[in-house]
Coordinates of all heavy atoms in Angstrom, one line a residue:
E14 N -14.7 -40.6 21.2 CA -14.4 -41.1 22.5 C -13.4 -40.2 23.3 O -13.2 -40.5 24.4 CB -13.8 -42.5 22.4 CG -14.7 -43.6 21.8 CD -15.7 -44.1 22.9 OE1 -15.4 -43.8 24.0 OE2 -16.5 -44.8 22.5
A15 N -12.8 -39.2 22.6 CA -11.7 -38.5 23.2 C -12.0 -37.0 23.3 O -13.0 -36.5 22.8 CB -10.4 -38.7 22.4
R16 N -11.1 -36.3 24.0 CA -11.2 -34.9 24.2 C -12.5 -34.5 24.8 O -12.9 -34.9 25.8 CB -10.7 -34.1 22.9 CG -9.3 -34.4 22.6 CD -8.8 -33.6 21.4 NE -7.4 -34.0 21.2 CZ -6.7 -33.6 20.1 NH1 -7.2 -32.7 19.3 NH2 -5.4 -34.0 20.0
I17 N -13.3 -33.7 24.0 CA -14.5 -33.2 24.6 C -15.5 -34.3 24.9 O -16.4 -34.2 25.7 CB -15.1 -32.1 23.7 CG1 -16.2 -31.3 24.4 CG2 -15.7 -32.7 22.4 CD1 -16.8 -30.1 23.7
L18 N -15.3 -35.5 24.2 CA -16.2 -36.6 24.4 C -15.6 -37.7 25.2 O -16.1 -38.9 25.1 CB -16.6 -37.1 23.0 CG -17.4 -36.1 22.0 CD1 -17.7 -36.8 20.7 CD2 -18.7 -35.7 22.7
H19 N -14.6 -37.4 26.0 CA -13.9 -38.4 26.8 C -14.9 -39.0 27.8 O -15.8 -38.2 28.3 CB -12.7 -37.9 27.4 CG -13.0 -36.8 28.5 ND1 -13.3 -37.2 29.8 CD2 -13.0 -35.5 28.4 CE1 -13.5 -36.1 30.5 NE2 -13.4 -35.0 29.7
Q20 N -14.6 -40.1 28.3 CA -15.5 -40.7 29.3 C -15.3 -39.9 30.6 O -14.2 -39.4 30.9 CB -15.1 -42.2 29.6 CG -15.5 -43.1 28.5 CD -15.5 -44.6 28.9 OE1 -15.5 -44.8 30.1 NE2 -15.5 -45.5 27.9
G21 N -16.4 -39.8 31.4 CA -16.4 -39.1 32.6 C -17.7 -38.4 32.9 O -18.7 -38.6 32.2
P22 N -17.8 -37.7 34.0 CA -19.0 -37.0 34.4 C -19.6 -36.1 33.3 O -18.8 -35.4 32.6 CB -18.6 -36.3 35.6 CG -17.4 -36.9 36.1 CD -16.6 -37.4 34.9
L23 N -20.9 -36.1 33.2 CA -21.6 -35.2 32.3 C -21.2 -35.3 30.8 O -21.2 -34.4 30.1 CB -21.4 -33.8 32.7 CG -22.0 -33.4 34.2 CD1 -21.7 -32.0 34.5 CD2 -23.5 -33.7 34.2
R24 N -20.8 -36.5 30.4 CA -20.4 -36.7 28.9 C -21.6 -36.4 28.1 O -21.5 -35.8 27.0 CB -19.8 -38.1 28.6 CG -19.6 -38.2 27.2 CD -18.4 -39.2 26.8 NE -18.9 -40.5 27.0 CZ -18.3 -41.6 26.5 NH1 -17.2 -41.4 25.7 NH2 -18.7 -42.8 26.7
W25 N -22.8 -36.7 28.5 CA -24.1 -36.5 27.7 C -24.2 -35.0 27.5 O -24.6 -34.5 26.4 CB -25.2 -37.0 28.5 CG -25.6 -36.4 29.8 CD1 -25.1 -36.7 31.0 CD2 -26.4 -35.3 29.9 NE1 -25.7 -35.8 32.0 CE2 -26.4 -34.9 31.3 CE3 -27.2 -34.4 29.1 CZ2 -27.2 -33.8 31.9 CZ3 -27.9 -33.3 29.6 CH2 -27.9 -33.1 31.0
L26 N -23.9 -34.1 28.5 CA -24.1 -32.7 28.4 C -23.0 -32.2 27.4 O -23.3 -31.2 26.6 CB -24.0 -32.1 29.8 CG -24.1 -30.5 29.8 CD1 -25.5 -30.1 29.2 CD2 -24.0 -30.0 31.3
R27 N -21.8 -32.7 27.6 CA -20.7 -32.2 26.7 C -21.0 -32.5 25.3 O -20.7 -31.8 24.4 CB -19.3 -32.8 27.2 CG -18.8 -32.2 28.5 CD -17.5 -32.8 28.8 NE -17.6 -34.0 29.6 CZ -17.2 -35.2 29.3 NH1 -16.6 -35.4 28.1 NH2 -17.3 -36.3 30.1
A28 N -21.6 -33.7 25.1 CA -22.0 -34.1 23.7 C -23.0 -33.2 23.1 O -22.9 -32.8 21.9 CB -22.4 -35.6 23.7
L29 N -24.0 -32.8 23.9 CA -25.0 -31.9 23.4 C -24.5 -30.5 23.1 O -24.8 -29.9 22.1 CB -26.2 -31.8 24.4 CG -26.9 -33.1 24.6 CD1 -28.1 -32.9 25.6 CD2 -27.5 -33.7 23.4
V30 N -23.6 -30.0 24.0 CA -23.0 -28.6 23.8 C -22.2 -28.7 22.5 O -22.2 -27.8 21.7 CB -22.2 -28.2 25.0 CG1 -21.4 -27.0 24.7 CG2 -23.1 -28.0 26.2
W31 N -21.4 -29.7 22.4 CA -20.6 -29.9 21.1 C -21.4 -30.1 19.9 O -21.0 -29.5 18.9 CB -19.7 -31.2 21.4 CG -18.7 -31.4 20.2 CD1 -18.6 -32.6 19.6 CD2 -17.7 -30.6 19.7 NE1 -17.6 -32.6 18.7 CE2 -17.0 -31.4 18.7 CE3 -17.3 -29.3 19.9 CZ2 -16.0 -30.8 18.0 CZ3 -16.2 -28.8 19.2 CH2 -15.6 -29.5 18.2
M32 N -22.6 -30.7 20.0 CA -23.5 -30.8 18.9 C -24.0 -29.5 18.4 O -23.9 -29.1 17.3 CB -24.7 -31.7 19.3 CG -25.8 -31.8 18.2 SD -27.3 -32.6 18.9 CE -28.0 -31.1 19.8
V33 N -24.4 -28.6 19.4 CA -24.9 -27.3 19.0 C -23.8 -26.5 18.4 O -24.0 -25.8 17.4 CB -25.5 -26.6 20.3 CG1 -25.8 -25.1 20.0 CG2 -26.7 -27.3 20.8
L34 N -22.6 -26.6 19.0 CA -21.4 -25.8 18.4 C -21.1 -26.2 17.0 O -20.9 -25.4 16.0 CB -20.2 -25.9 19.3 CG -19.0 -25.1 18.9 CD1 -19.3 -23.6 19.0 CD2 -17.8 -25.4 19.9
L35 N -21.0 -27.5 16.8 CA -20.7 -28.0 15.4 C -21.8 -27.6 14.5 O -21.5 -27.2 13.3 CB -20.7 -29.6 15.5 CG -19.3 -30.2 15.8 CD1 -19.5 -31.7 15.8 CD2 -18.2 -29.8 14.8
F36 N -23.0 -27.8 14.8 CA -24.2 -27.4 13.9 C -24.1 -25.9 13.5 O -24.2 -25.6 12.4 CB -25.5 -27.7 14.7 CG -26.7 -27.7 13.8 CD1 -27.3 -28.9 13.4 CD2 -27.3 -26.5 13.4 CE1 -28.5 -28.9 12.6 CE2 -28.4 -26.5 12.6 CZ -29.0 -27.7 12.2
V37 N -23.9 -25.1 14.5 CA -23.9 -23.6 14.2 C -22.7 -23.3 13.4 O -22.9 -22.5 12.3 CB -23.9 -22.8 15.5 CG1 -23.6 -21.4 15.3 CG2 -25.3 -23.0 16.3
L38 N -21.5 -23.7 13.7 CA -20.4 -23.4 12.9 C -20.3 -23.9 11.5 O -20.0 -23.2 10.6 CB -19.1 -23.8 13.6 CG -18.8 -23.1 15.0 CD1 -17.5 -23.7 15.6 CD2 -18.5 -21.7 14.7
V39 N -20.8 -25.1 11.3 CA -20.9 -25.7 9.9 C -21.9 -24.9 9.1 O -21.7 -24.6 8.0 CB -21.2 -27.2 10.0 CG1 -21.6 -27.7 8.6 CG2 -20.0 -28.0 10.6
A40 N -23.1 -24.7 9.8 CA -24.2 -23.9 9.0 C -23.7 -22.5 8.7 O -24.0 -22.0 7.5 CB -25.4 -23.9 9.9
I41 N -23.1 -21.8 9.6 CA -22.7 -20.4 9.4 C -21.6 -20.3 8.3 O -21.7 -19.5 7.4 CB -22.3 -19.8 10.8 CG1 -23.5 -19.6 11.6 CG2 -21.6 -18.5 10.5 CD1 -23.1 -18.9 13.0
T42 N -20.6 -21.1 8.5 CA -19.5 -21.0 7.4 C -20.0 -21.4 6.0 O -19.6 -20.8 5.1 CB -18.3 -21.9 7.8 OG1 -18.8 -23.2 8.0 CG2 -17.6 -21.4 9.1
T43 N -20.9 -22.4 6.0 CA -21.5 -22.7 4.7 C -22.3 -21.6 4.1 O -22.2 -21.2 2.9 CB -22.4 -24.0 4.8 OG1 -21.6 -25.1 5.3 CG2 -23.0 -24.3 3.5
G44 N -23.2 -21.0 5.0 CA -24.0 -19.8 4.5 C -23.2 -18.6 4.1 O -23.5 -18.0 3.1
I45 N -22.2 -18.3 4.9 CA -21.3 -17.2 4.5 C -20.6 -17.4 3.2 O -20.5 -16.5 2.3 CB -20.3 -16.9 5.6 CG1 -21.0 -16.4 6.9 CG2 -19.2 -15.9 5.2 CD1 -20.1 -16.2 8.1
T46 N -20.1 -18.6 3.0 CA -19.4 -18.9 1.7 C -20.3 -18.8 0.5 O -20.0 -18.2 -0.5 CB -18.8 -20.3 1.8 OG1 -17.9 -20.5 2.9 CG2 -18.1 -20.7 0.5
V47 N -21.5 -19.4 0.6 CA -22.5 -19.3 -0.4 C -22.9 -17.9 -0.7 O -22.9 -17.4 -1.9 CB -23.7 -20.1 -0.1 CG1 -24.8 -19.9 -1.2 CG2 -23.4 -21.6 -0.1
S48 N -23.2 -17.1 0.3 CA -23.6 -15.7 0.2 C -22.5 -14.9 -0.4 O -22.7 -14.1 -1.4 CB -24.0 -15.1 1.5 OG -25.1 -15.8 2.1
G49 N -21.2 -15.1 0.0 CA -20.1 -14.3 -0.5 C -19.9 -14.6 -2.0 O -19.7 -13.6 -2.8
L50 N -19.9 -15.8 -2.4 CA -19.7 -16.2 -3.7 C -20.8 -15.8 -4.6 O -20.6 -15.3 -5.8 CB -19.5 -17.7 -3.9 CG -18.2 -18.3 -3.3 CD1 -18.2 -19.8 -3.4 CD2 -17.0 -17.7 -4.1
T51 N -22.1 -15.7 -4.1 CA -23.3 -15.3 -4.8 C -23.0 -13.8 -5.2 O -23.4 -13.4 -6.3 CB -24.5 -15.5 -4.1 OG1 -24.7 -16.9 -3.8 CG2 -25.7 -15.0 -4.8
V52 N -22.5 -13.0 -4.3 CA -22.2 -11.6 -4.6 C -21.0 -11.4 -5.6 O -21.2 -10.6 -6.5 CB -21.9 -10.9 -3.3 CG1 -21.5 -9.4 -3.5 CG2 -23.1 -10.9 -2.4
L53 N -20.0 -12.2 -5.5 CA -18.8 -12.0 -6.2 C -19.0 -12.5 -7.7 O -18.5 -12.0 -8.6 CB -17.6 -12.8 -5.6 CG -17.2 -12.2 -4.2 CD1 -16.0 -13.1 -3.7 CD2 -16.6 -10.8 -4.5
L54 N -19.8 -13.7 -7.9 CA -19.9 -14.2 -9.2 C -21.0 -13.6 -10.0 O -22.0 -13.0 -9.4 CB -20.2 -15.8 -9.0 CG -19.1 -16.6 -8.4 CD1 -19.6 -18.0 -8.1 CD2 -17.9 -16.6 -9.3
P55 N -20.9 -13.6 -11.3 CA -22.0 -13.1 -12.1 C -23.3 -13.7 -11.8 O -23.4 -14.9 -11.4 CB -21.6 -13.4 -13.6 CG -20.1 -13.7 -13.5 CD -19.9 -14.2 -12.1
E56 N -24.4 -13.0 -11.9 CA -25.7 -13.6 -11.5 C -26.2 -14.6 -12.5 O -25.9 -14.4 -13.7 CB -26.8 -12.4 -11.6 CG -28.1 -12.9 -11.1 CD -29.1 -11.7 -11.0 OE1 -28.7 -10.6 -11.2 OE2 -30.3 -12.0 -10.7
G57 N -26.7 -15.7 -12.1 CA -27.1 -16.7 -12.9 C -27.1 -18.2 -12.3 O -26.6 -18.3 -11.2
D58 N -27.8 -19.1 -12.9 CA -27.9 -20.4 -12.3 C -26.6 -21.2 -12.2 O -26.3 -21.9 -11.2 CB -28.9 -21.3 -13.1 CG -30.3 -20.7 -13.0 OD1 -30.6 -20.1 -12.0 OD2 -31.1 -21.1 -13.9
T59 N -25.7 -20.9 -13.1 CA -24.4 -21.5 -13.0 C -23.6 -21.1 -11.8 O -22.9 -21.8 -11.2 CB -23.6 -21.3 -14.3 OG1 -24.3 -21.9 -15.4 CG2 -22.2 -22.0 -14.3
S60 N -23.6 -19.7 -11.7 CA -23.0 -19.1 -10.5 C -23.5 -19.7 -9.2 O -22.8 -19.9 -8.2 CB -23.1 -17.6 -10.5 OG -22.4 -17.1 -11.7
S61 N -24.8 -19.8 -9.1 CA -25.5 -20.4 -8.0 C -25.0 -21.9 -7.7 O -24.8 -22.2 -6.5 CB -27.0 -20.4 -8.1 OG -27.7 -21.0 -7.0
L62 N -24.9 -22.6 -8.8 CA -24.4 -23.9 -8.7 C -23.0 -24.0 -8.1 O -22.7 -24.7 -7.2 CB -24.4 -24.7 -10.0 CG -23.8 -26.0 -10.1 CD1 -24.5 -27.0 -9.1 CD2 -23.9 -26.6 -11.6
I63 N -22.1 -23.1 -8.6 CA -20.7 -23.1 -8.2 C -20.7 -22.6 -6.7 O -20.0 -23.2 -5.8 CB -19.9 -22.1 -9.0 CG1 -19.8 -22.6 -10.4 CG2 -18.5 -21.8 -8.4 CD1 -19.2 -21.6 -11.4
A64 N -21.5 -21.7 -6.3 CA -21.5 -21.2 -5.0 C -22.0 -22.3 -4.0 O -21.4 -22.5 -2.9 CB -22.5 -19.9 -4.9
N65 N -23.0 -23.0 -4.3 CA -23.5 -24.0 -3.4 C -22.5 -25.2 -3.4 O -22.4 -25.9 -2.3 CB -24.9 -24.5 -3.9 CG -26.0 -23.7 -3.3 OD1 -26.3 -23.7 -2.2 ND2 -26.7 -23.0 -4.2
A66 N -21.9 -25.5 -4.5 CA -20.9 -26.6 -4.5 C -19.7 -26.3 -3.6 O -19.3 -27.1 -2.8 CB -20.4 -27.0 -5.9
V67 N -19.2 -25.1 -3.8 CA -18.1 -24.6 -3.0 C -18.5 -24.4 -1.5 O -17.7 -24.9 -0.6 CB -17.5 -23.3 -3.5 CG1 -16.4 -22.8 -2.6 CG2 -16.9 -23.5 -4.9
G68 N -19.7 -23.9 -1.2 CA -20.1 -23.8 0.1 C -20.3 -25.1 0.8 O -19.9 -25.2 2.0
S69 N -20.8 -26.1 0.1 CA -21.0 -27.4 0.7 C -19.6 -28.1 1.1 O -19.4 -28.6 2.1 CB -21.7 -28.3 -0.2 OG -23.0 -27.8 -0.5
G70 N -18.6 -27.8 0.1 CA -17.2 -28.3 0.4 C -16.7 -27.6 1.6 O -16.0 -28.3 2.4
V71 N -16.9 -26.4 1.7 CA -16.3 -25.6 2.9 C -17.0 -26.1 4.2 O -16.3 -26.3 5.2 CB -16.6 -24.1 2.7 CG1 -16.3 -23.4 4.1 CG2 -15.7 -23.5 1.6
G72 N -18.3 -26.4 4.2 CA -19.0 -27.0 5.3 C -18.4 -28.3 5.8 O -18.1 -28.5 6.9
L73 N -18.1 -29.1 4.8 CA -17.5 -30.5 5.1 C -16.1 -30.3 5.7 O -15.7 -31.0 6.6 CB -17.4 -31.3 3.8 CG -18.7 -31.9 3.3 CD1 -18.4 -32.7 2.0 CD2 -19.4 -32.8 4.3
L74 N -15.3 -29.3 5.1 CA -14.0 -29.1 5.6 C -14.0 -28.6 7.1 O -13.2 -29.0 7.8 CB -13.3 -28.1 4.7 CG -11.8 -27.7 5.1 CD1 -10.9 -28.9 5.2 CD2 -11.3 -26.6 4.2
V75 N -14.9 -27.6 7.3 CA -15.0 -27.1 8.7 C -15.4 -28.2 9.6 O -14.8 -28.3 10.8 CB -16.1 -26.0 8.7 CG1 -16.4 -25.6 10.2 CG2 -15.6 -24.7 8.0
Y76 N -16.2 -29.1 9.3 CA -16.7 -30.2 10.1 C -15.4 -31.1 10.4 O -15.2 -31.5 11.5 CB -17.8 -31.0 9.4 CG -18.2 -32.3 10.2 CD1 -19.0 -32.3 11.2 CD2 -17.6 -33.5 9.9 CE1 -19.4 -33.4 12.0 CE2 -17.9 -34.7 10.5 CZ -18.8 -34.6 11.6 OH -19.1 -35.7 12.3
V77 N -14.6 -31.4 9.3 CA -13.5 -32.2 9.5 C -12.5 -31.6 10.5 O -11.9 -32.3 11.4 CB -12.8 -32.6 8.1 CG1 -11.4 -33.2 8.4 CG2 -13.7 -33.4 7.3
L78 N -12.3 -30.3 10.3 CA -11.3 -29.7 11.2 C -11.7 -29.6 12.6 O -10.9 -29.8 13.6 CB -11.1 -28.3 10.6 CG -10.3 -28.1 9.3 CD1 -10.2 -26.7 8.8 CD2 -8.9 -28.8 9.3
L79 N -13.0 -29.4 12.8 CA -13.6 -29.3 14.2 C -13.5 -30.7 14.8 O -13.2 -30.8 16.0 CB -15.0 -28.8 14.2 CG -15.1 -27.3 13.8 CD1 -16.7 -27.0 13.6 CD2 -14.6 -26.4 14.9
V80 N -13.8 -31.7 14.1 CA -13.7 -33.1 14.7 C -12.3 -33.5 15.0 O -12.1 -34.0 16.0 CB -14.4 -34.1 13.8 CG1 -14.1 -35.5 14.2 CG2 -15.9 -33.9 13.7
L81 N -11.4 -33.1 14.1 CA -10.0 -33.4 14.4 C -9.5 -32.7 15.7 O -8.8 -33.3 16.5 CB -9.1 -32.9 13.2 CG -9.1 -33.8 11.9 CD1 -8.4 -33.1 10.8 CD2 -8.3 -35.1 12.3
G82 N -9.9 -31.4 15.8 CA -9.5 -30.6 17.0 C -10.2 -31.0 18.2 O -9.6 -31.1 19.3
G83 N -11.6 -31.0 18.1 CA -12.4 -31.2 19.3 C -12.5 -32.6 19.7 O -12.7 -32.9 21.0
E84 N -12.5 -33.7 18.9 CA -12.6 -35.0 19.2 C -11.4 -35.9 19.1 O -11.3 -37.0 19.5 CB -13.8 -35.7 18.4 CG -15.1 -34.9 18.5 CD -16.2 -35.6 17.7 OE1 -16.1 -36.8 17.4 OE2 -17.1 -34.8 17.3
G85 N -10.3 -35.2 18.5 CA -9.0 -35.9 18.4 C -9.1 -37.2 17.5 O -8.5 -38.2 17.8
R86 N -9.9 -37.1 16.4 CA -10.0 -38.3 15.6 C -10.2 -37.8 14.2 O -10.7 -36.7 13.9 CB -11.2 -39.2 16.0 CG -12.5 -38.6 15.8 CD -13.7 -39.5 16.2 NE -15.0 -38.8 16.0 CZ -15.7 -39.0 14.9 NH1 -15.2 -39.7 13.9 NH2 -16.8 -38.3 14.7

Side-chain angles (χ1 to χ4, degrees):
E14 296 282 349
R16 296 187 182 174
I17 195 169
L18 298 177
H19 68 86
Q20 288 196 19
L23 298 178
R24 178 155 73 162
W25 66 270
L26 180 58
R27 287 183 273 116
L29 295 184
V30 171
W31 181 234
M32 177 191 74
V33 173
L34 184 61
L35 273 179
F36 193 103
V37 170
L38 290 177
V39 171
I41 287 178
T42 52
T43 301
I45 290 175
T46 303
V47 173
S48 299
L50 289 175
T51 301
V52 172
L53 294 174
L54 294 172
E56 187 175 353
D58 290 339
T59 301
S60 296
S61 177
L62 172 59
I63 294 171
N65 274 293
V67 174
S69 298
V71 168
L73 288 176
L74 177 61
V75 169
Y76 176 83
V77 169
L78 293 176
L79 288 171
V80 169
L81 282 170
E84 300 179 31
R86 68 181 182 92

